[in-house]
């Protein structure tokens, strides 16, 4: 039996780092050095800096799309890229597989050495990878819960610590640039990348996005520190808000909606100093974002004053021609994207076409060299800020805490605080440790499903090769109860060599029969791993086979604890009422099984809160941010205009094993003015018999607005608080009038004079904003 279980303890993590940060360059010094370098560069060198190529292109292999195993660079292909075409950036792993950090160091060092030999100005390569919940493409790295689970924790400090560890372990891999965090709103449960987001609320996403950036870059944004790296805000802008619910399909977003809901997290991240940004692969109002000058230059660079590097997503300049058909050829596509404001093209394969065409466009006057200079200067400034000129690749030997128990403890802590108890009839949970249980369901014995995609490989299908030393949910329960007290029957299995949704009956009848021999059933349902287009979905209901398993187990009369392990809220209303308890784990990472077992048996009190609205039906996908017309009561008279807002579980919901009471809502002012600040306070009491953590959330409601119908309510502040049994604390929040603002049809952000309601749980008080 595997027992790789972290002991829950108070661990002071990052104070233990032996930081040897290099001297910080000032912004003026970086600006001066970048300008000096730019003045010495040829046009060919400039265009090369704007080019990013995937690793397989320069590896030994049969073609540019794959490499031989074990991976080795083809030195002549590297020389062609960096010498003949002056390529300035590489990305991704080879053959869609995680590499040991020693191998990463070897590869990146060799690229930097060849680049240095071949180029007089010795401008280093910048290497980037998607390390979205830990150093996901490095063997032995610490895997955290995916972002949706981190949002459920409502704990910005844990989010920041996780990002600090990810930065440390990514730098231990020799990689200085991370394509994270995702700041898109996860408002649509149909969307295949919902789990990569912090959920459906702009304020929650803003707070946690800034926390993650502070962890990646340091609060002072000193990315030259070898324990920090350059972060990437993605995907600017409105990427998840697609009409179809499917990846990279059109969105239709009015400007006021774009600014009200989708822009705030990016603005907060820009203000927090994030160095780079990646662009939405889709279309907004019929126009590809990669060709949208109004969004990329006027809004992002001019209005928001973003001075960093703008990089495309995978092959998205080519898509302007091949998919979106707004450019009649590749050359026209490059012209459109670069003139719109793109600084670097994630090509990712046929880089020669990009470089040759862009050179021609500049020489023909179709792209001004001043636009090229602006793009290249932004790239150079990031490279200078990273100290790549002094240390082109960091060395894994300088990172002794890589994969340490200290780091794994933090991954466990995040999993423990993210897991959300959604139902607990008759306080069936927590269970005693003298029971016998049946563990069943397709997610019960899978490390792949615990982690989700972007784990050791793009779709996560290679996770079993790398995570065998960690505990699945089944193994964690066996460690708690002893193997002799646990019966396992999968009932349903995923076809792991097929599409993520393909399943097979693996003995539903056998699982039902085994229920006769146990006290409780742990039914572990959800999804196999997926992301992007392969994760598109046609039916939001959880699968037919899993539904059959649930209903037949419920019919046995044995108490069923439903454990959900899913990236998006798959609908469970066909059998939810027959479950005695429901626990949402999201995608909790390598320590999710251990954390869940501690919660099921009472060693940890659950404290997660839903970061999205869990829908009850496929045609009722209304988020908590909605208009009054979406939940109106029955009208009087001949016409019935009743509207039903009836989610399975609401945004912010999550139970505990203790009881909390919120009382004595106070606001220090009843009349406020523009640019005013007021204080909201409540008393939070733990009235139960054990310690626990509770999240206090403050909402506002604009009761009447002049032009745009106001939302029913909006989250304005939140805080997670730990209380001992019987303890009471007064929790205070400072709120500015600007926090109450909304966006009008002219795109202006303002708080309109009038009545506002401030609420915490069921407590409400009114305030008046004066003219």
């Amino acid at each position: 039996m595997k027992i790789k279980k972290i002991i829950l303890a108070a661990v002071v993590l990052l104070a233990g780092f032996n930081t040897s940060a290099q001297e910080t360059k000032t912004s003026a010094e970086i600006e001066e050095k970048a300008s000096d370098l730019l003045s010495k560069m040829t046009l060919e060198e400039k265009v090369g800096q704007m080019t990013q190529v995937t690793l397989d292109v320069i590896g030994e292999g049969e073609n540019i799309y794959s490499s031989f195993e074990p991976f080795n660079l083809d030195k002549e292909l590297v020389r062609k890229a960096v010498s003949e075409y002056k390529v300035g950036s590489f990305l991704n792993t080879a053959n869609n597989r995680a590499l040991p950090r020693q191998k990463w160091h070897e590869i990146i060092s060799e690229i930097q050495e060849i680049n240095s030999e071949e180029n007089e100005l010795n401008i280093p390569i910048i290497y980037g990878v998607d390390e979205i919940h830990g150093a996901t493409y490095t063997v032995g790295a610490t895997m955290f819960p995916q972002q949706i689970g981190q949002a459920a924790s409502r704990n910005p400090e844990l989010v920041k610590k996780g990002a600090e560890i990810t930065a440390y372990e990514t730098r231990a891999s020799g990689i200085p640039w991370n394509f994270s965090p995702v700041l898109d709103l996860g408002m649509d449960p149909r969307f295949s990348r919902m789990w990569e987001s912090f959920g459906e609320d702009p304020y929650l996403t803003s707070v946690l996005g800034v926390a993650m950036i502070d962890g990646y870059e340091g609060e002072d944004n000193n990315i030259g520190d070898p324990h920090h790296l350059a972060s990437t805000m993605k995907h600017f802008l409105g990427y998840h808000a697609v009409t179809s619910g499917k990846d990279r399909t059109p969105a239709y977003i009015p400007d006021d909606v774009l600014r009200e809901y989708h822009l705030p997290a990016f603005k907060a991240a820009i203000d927090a100093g994030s160095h780079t940004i990646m662009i939405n692969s889709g279309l907004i109002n019929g126009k590809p974002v990669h060709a949208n000058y109004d969004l990329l230059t006027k809004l992002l660079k001019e209005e928001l004053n973003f001075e960093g590097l703008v990089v495309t997503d995978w092959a998205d300049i080519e898509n302007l021609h091949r998919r979106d058909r707004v450019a009649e050829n590749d050359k026209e596509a490059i012209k459109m994207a670069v003139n719109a404001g793109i600084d670097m093209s994630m090509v990712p394969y046929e880089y020669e076409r990009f470089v040759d065409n862009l050179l021609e466009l500049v020489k023909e006057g179709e792209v001004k060299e001043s636009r090229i200079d602006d793009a290249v200067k932004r790239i150079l400034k990031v490279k200078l800020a990273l100290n790549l000129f002094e240390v082109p690749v960091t060395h894994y030997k300088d990172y002794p805490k890589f994969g340490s128990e200290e780091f794994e403890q933090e991954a466990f802590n995040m999993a423990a605080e993210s897991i959300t108890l959604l139902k607990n009839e008759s306080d069936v949970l927590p269970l005693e440790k003298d029971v016998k249980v049946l563990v069943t369901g397709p997610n019960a014995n899978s490390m792949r499903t615990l982690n989700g995609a972007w784990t050791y490989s793009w779709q996560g299908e290679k996770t079993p090769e790398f995570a065998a030393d960690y505990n699945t949910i089944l193994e964690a329960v066996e460690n708690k109860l002893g193997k002799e007290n646990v019966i396992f029957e999968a009932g349903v299995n995923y076809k792991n060599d097929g599409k993520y949704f393909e399943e097979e009956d693996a003995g539903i009848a056998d699982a039902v029969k085994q229920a006769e021999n146990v006290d409780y059933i742990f039914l572990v349902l959800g999804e196999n791993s997926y992301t992007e287009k392969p994760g598109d979905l046609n039916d939001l209901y959880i699968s037919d086979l899993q539904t059959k398993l649930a209903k037949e187990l419920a019919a046995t009369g044995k108490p069923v604890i439903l454990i959900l392990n899913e990236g998006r809220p798959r609908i469970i209303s066909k059998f939810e009422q027959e479950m005695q308890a429901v626990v949402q784990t999201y995608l909790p990472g390598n320590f999710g099984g251990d954390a869940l077992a501690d919660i099921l048996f009472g060693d940890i009190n659950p404290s997660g809160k839903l970061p999205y609205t869990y829908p009850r039906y496929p045609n009722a996908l209304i988020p908590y941010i909605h208009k009054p017309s979406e939940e109106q009561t029955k009208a009087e008279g001949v016409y019935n205009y009743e509207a039903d807002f009836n989610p399975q579980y609401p945004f912010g919901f999550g139970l505990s094993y203790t009881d909390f009471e919120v009382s004595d809502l106070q606001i220090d002012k009843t009349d406020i003015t523009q640019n005013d600040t007021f204080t909201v306070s409540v008393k939070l009491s733990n009235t139960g018999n054990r310690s626990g953590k509770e999240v206090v959330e403050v909402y506002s409601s604009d009761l009447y607005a002049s032009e745009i119908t106001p939302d029913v309510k909006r989250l304005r502040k939140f805080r997670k608080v730990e209380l001992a049994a019987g303890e009471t604390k007064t929790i205070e929040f400072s709120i500015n009038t600007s926090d109450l603002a909304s966006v009008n049809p002219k795109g202006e952000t303002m708080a309109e004079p009038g009545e506002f309601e401030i609420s915490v749980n069921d407590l409400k008080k009114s305030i008046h904003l004066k003219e």
Side-chain angles (χ1 to χ4, degrees), residues 306-528:
F306 178 63
E307 297 181 354
L309 159 60
V310 178
V311 63
T312 76
D313 207 336
W314 189 269
D316 273 330
I317 291 182
E318 295 176 4
N319 283 337
L320 298 178
H321 164 54
R322 298 168 191 226
R323 183 195 70 189
D324 298 327
R325 304 185 184 187
V326 294
E328 62 182 359
N329 52 46
D330 288 313
K331 186 175 179 180
E332 180 71 13
I334 294 165
K335 171 186 169 182
M336 293 175 72
V338 174
N339 282 339
I342 292 295
D343 301 321
M344 181 182 285
S345 173
M346 190 182 290
V347 175
Y349 293 109
E350 296 180 53
Y351 63 88
E352 302 93 340
R353 181 171 56 225
F354 174 79
V355 172
D356 291 342
N357 278 319
L358 186 50
L359 285 171
E360 285 184 17
L361 286 164
V362 177
K363 291 171 182 176
E364 293 165 0
E366 296 296 312
V367 175
K368 294 180 180 178
E369 190 160 0
S370 59
R371 170 75 270 269
I372 301 296
D373 287 349
D374 171 64
V376 175
K377 191 172 185 179
R378 290 168 180 267
I379 295 165
L380 293 174
K381 285 165 68 174
V382 173
K383 292 185 175 185
L384 287 160
L386 283 165
N387 278 327
L388 295 181
F389 288 81
E390 293 79 11
V391 183
V393 56
T394 45
H395 200 293
Y396 58 88
K397 290 182 179 179
D398 295 328
Y399 298 84
K401 295 192 178 185
F402 177 92
S404 65
E405 288 191 3
E406 258 183 51
F407 287 0
E408 290 183 332
Q409 177 69 58
E410 283 301 314
F412 174 90
N413 292 348
M414 175 59 84
E417 290 210 18
S418 68
I419 292 172
T420 306
L421 180 61
L422 297 175
K423 183 179 182 181
N424 195 19
E425 279 188 359
S426 304
D427 293 329
V428 63
L429 295 177
L431 297 180
E432 299 295 330
K433 295 172 186 169
D434 59 355
V435 297
K436 192 165 186 177
V437 301
L438 167 67
V439 180
T440 182
N443 296 56
N445 195 29
S446 169
M447 292 307 303
R448 173 178 176 178
T449 62
L450 281 179
N451 280 281
W454 298 112
T455 309
Y456 308 112
S457 60
W458 176 40
Q459 293 294 316
E461 78 285 357
K462 294 185 174 68
T463 297
E465 298 179 32
F466 299 95
D469 288 340
Y470 301 96
N471 292 315
T472 65
I473 291 172
L474 169 65
E475 291 162 342
V477 171
E478 289 175 338
N479 290 342
K480 283 287 183 189
L481 297 182
K483 205 165 185 177
E484 67 277 9
N485 294 313
V486 180
I487 297 173
F488 172 62
E489 286 288 349
V492 176
N493 276 337
Y494 298 115
K495 296 180 180 178
N496 282 326
D497 56 349
K499 296 179 179 179
Y500 80 93
F501 53 81
E502 292 183 325
E503 299 175 355
E504 59 191 1
D505 187 327
I508 292 176
D510 294 334
V512 172
K513 184 172 179 56
Q514 289 289 6
E516 300 173 5
N517 304 313
V518 300
D519 303 307
Y520 296 91
I521 300 168
F522 289 161
L523 174 59
V524 192
L525 305 182
E527 301 178 299
N528 208 352

Side-chain angles (χ1 to χ4, degrees), residues 65 135 137 223 227 238 380 417 609:
Y65 304 109
Y137 280 126
I223 58 174
H227 291 166
L380 293 174
E417 290 210 18
K609 302 292 183 183

Side-chain angles (χ1 to χ4, degrees), residues 437-674:
V437 301
L438 167 67
V439 180
T440 182
N443 296 56
N445 195 29
S446 169
M447 292 307 303
R448 173 178 176 178
T449 62
L450 281 179
N451 280 281
W454 298 112
T455 309
Y456 308 112
S457 60
W458 176 40
Q459 293 294 316
E461 78 285 357
K462 294 185 174 68
T463 297
E465 298 179 32
F466 299 95
D469 288 340
Y470 301 96
N471 292 315
T472 65
I473 291 172
L474 169 65
E475 291 162 342
V477 171
E478 289 175 338
N479 290 342
K480 283 287 183 189
L481 297 182
K483 205 165 185 177
E484 67 277 9
N485 294 313
V486 180
I487 297 173
F488 172 62
E489 286 288 349
V492 176
N493 276 337
Y494 298 115
K495 296 180 180 178
N496 282 326
D497 56 349
K499 296 179 179 179
Y500 80 93
F501 53 81
E502 292 183 325
E503 299 175 355
E504 59 191 1
D505 187 327
I508 292 176
D510 294 334
V512 172
K513 184 172 179 56
Q514 289 289 6
E516 300 173 5
N517 304 313
V518 300
D519 303 307
Y520 296 91
I521 300 168
F522 289 161
L523 174 59
V524 192
L525 305 182
E527 301 178 299
N528 208 352
S529 64
Y530 59 84
T531 189
E532 300 188 87
K533 287 302 294 181
D536 282 348
L537 158 129
N538 291 321
D539 185 0
L540 194 53
Y541 274 112
I542 209 160
S543 74
D544 290 343
L545 278 176
Q546 294 188 49
T547 298
K548 179 181 179 183
L549 178 62
K551 292 184 78 65
E552 293 193 12
L553 287 170
T556 67
K558 293 296 175 74
V560 182
I561 287 87
L562 173 62
I563 298 161
L564 296 169
N565 171 209
E566 56 189 7
R568 54 195 159 194
R570 299 298 294 269
I571 292 174
I572 57 174
S573 55
K574 291 179 180 178
F575 57 85
E576 188 270 352
Q577 68 276 11
E578 300 173 68
M579 305 290 104
Q580 277 63 55
V582 180
V583 184
Q584 173 65 283
T585 70
Y586 311 97
L587 302 173
N590 280 337
F591 290 96
D594 296 319
L596 173 67
D598 276 0
I599 287 171
L600 293 174
F601 295 100
D603 295 323
I604 291 176
N605 193 350
S607 62
K609 302 292 183 183
L610 279 179
Y612 51 65
T613 303
Y614 205 119
R616 191 181 298 268
Y617 306 110
N619 199 32
L621 306 183
I622 303 171
Y624 100 86
I625 300 176
H626 60 268
K627 305 300 182 184
S629 62
E630 293 175 282
E631 56 170 300
Q632 58 188 306
T633 57
K634 187 175 181 179
E636 293 182 2
V638 66
Y639 295 113
N640 182 353
Y641 288 128
E642 188 174 9
D644 181 25
F645 176 63
N646 185 26
Q648 190 77 63
Y649 307 107
F651 173 86
F653 184 73
L655 301 172
S656 171
Y657 293 153
T658 192
D659 296 311
F660 292 100
E661 181 180 290
V662 176
S663 62
D664 196 22
L665 172 62
Q666 299 291 333
I667 303 177
D668 67 340
K669 299 176 184 178
T670 55
D671 292 307
I672 58 174
T673 59
Q674 296 289 349

